[in-house]
Structures are given as C-alpha cells and as structure tokens.
Amino acid sequence: MVISSRIRIVQGDITQMKVDAIVNAANNSLLGGGGVDGAIHRAAGPELLQACKEIGGCATGDAVLTKGFKLDAHFVIHTVGPVWKGGHQHENNLLAAAYKNSLAIASAKNATEIAFPNISTGIYGFPKERAAQIAIRTVTDFLQENISPQIVHFVCFDQENYLLYKSLL
C-alpha cells in the first residue's frame, strides 16, 4: 500500500524485499537470533554471520552496515532497538535513534529504497502502537530533510502491525 510518494506499507517477509537496503532488528552481538534477525541471517547465508563477527557488536540505538550476500537487497543495515522496560529507560529515544541511524547509513550509501521491520516489537516487548508512532514520526522527519532514501517501506510480518501502520498513516 502506497501512503505517500515516499512511504509504503507492506505485509510480508522482509527477506524477500528487492530494495537497496533492508534493516535487521538485531541484538547487540549481531550474531543472529530469533524473529526477523534469524530470518535475515538464514536468508543471507553464512557470510553475513562472518561479516557481523568482524564488526564485533552494536550498541542499542546505533546501526552498522554489511553486504546483503544472498539477499535481493544490496545491503543489510543492522540496528539494535531497545528492550521495553516500562518506558523509563529512554526506550522511546533509543528506538527513534535506531530508525534515524539506519536512515543516515542508507542516505550515505545513496540508497534509493530501504525496508524496515517493526523494530523492538517482538521479543523485545515494545508496545506496537507506540513503536509505530515513533517509527513513522522519525522516518517522516528524516525524509523531509533528506532526498535519500527516496522510498521507505515498513514491512510488517503480521496483520496486526500492518493494520496499525495503515491506520496511523
């Protein structure tokens, strides 16, 4: 679904996106895990794990870049969203930073299209509506000030997030 000329909502599998960069909702070690992180590692192949080992980790709210290897995406931008702890540990700011830092890397690489999962809303327990509001606001603000990336896809694995993003946009 096209919401604006630059923001799109998709329900599906982020590993199947044919874009310049997909964002991985990674853990601090970058060594794979469950959910979207595990799916991206499996789809990209063992070279992704090796590249992540060489990076050595990532702080919450930060982002790092690797090649996409066997994915259709040229790059994977790994970002670490916060674990929800009731909203008293700067979770909102850390989630916004994860989106903004990912967008900054995409922009520096002149990425035309980037695809985001719903960062921190799985096992990390971030409330879905709050996370969606932060994601949309952060992406919208970034796009108003930057020409790259030209298109941002919010890729929702489940219908709940898809309908939530659709209603908020």
Side-chain angles (χ1 to χ4, degrees):
M1 166 178 251
V2 177
I3 298 301
S4 76
S5 61
R6 296 183 70 190
I7 297 176
R8 298 183 181 162
I9 305 169
V10 178
Q11 184 177 354
D13 180 351
I14 198 167
T15 67
Q16 302 300 309
M17 295 295 293
K18 294 178 178 165
V19 294
D20 297 306
I22 63 171
V23 176
N24 180 17
N27 58 46
N28 295 105
S29 74
L30 301 179
L31 302 181
V36 70
D37 189 16
I40 289 172
H41 272 267
R42 285 188 298 278
E47 298 89 353
L48 181 61
L49 179 59
Q50 185 55 43
C52 288
K53 284 180 180 177
E54 291 171 13
I55 293 170
C58 183
T60 302
D62 285 344
V64 295
L65 180 78
T66 64
K67 292 181 184 178
F69 300 103
K70 295 179 182 174
L71 294 165
D72 285 326
H74 302 302
F75 301 105
V76 177
I77 298 170
H78 307 265
T79 191
V80 181
V83 173
W84 182 254
K85 297 178 181 173
H88 307 292
Q89 302 294 316
H90 309 287
E91 294 99 313
N92 291 352
N93 293 338
L94 289 167
L95 184 60
Y99 280 95
K100 187 174 182 180
N101 288 328
S102 297
L103 288 162
I105 289 173
S107 183
K109 285 291 187 181
N110 294 312
T112 302
E113 293 186 55
I114 182 173
F116 281 98
N118 307 118
I119 299 171
S120 286
T121 62
I123 195 167
Y124 282 16
F126 210 105
K128 290 180 180 184
E129 185 169 355
R130 181 182 286 214
Q133 290 168 345
I134 291 167
I136 291 165
R137 183 177 59 246
T138 304
V139 167
T140 301
D141 289 351
F142 190 91
L143 293 179
Q144 288 176 350
E145 297 176 8
N146 296 275
I147 59 170
S148 176
Q150 293 173 5
I151 299 173
V152 174
H153 300 268
F154 288 115
V155 182
C156 304
F157 185 73
D158 62 359
Q159 188 171 22
E160 180 184 2
N161 270 314
Y162 176 75
L163 293 174
L164 179 60
Y165 272 77
K166 204 169 135 180
S167 72
L168 290 172
L169 286 165

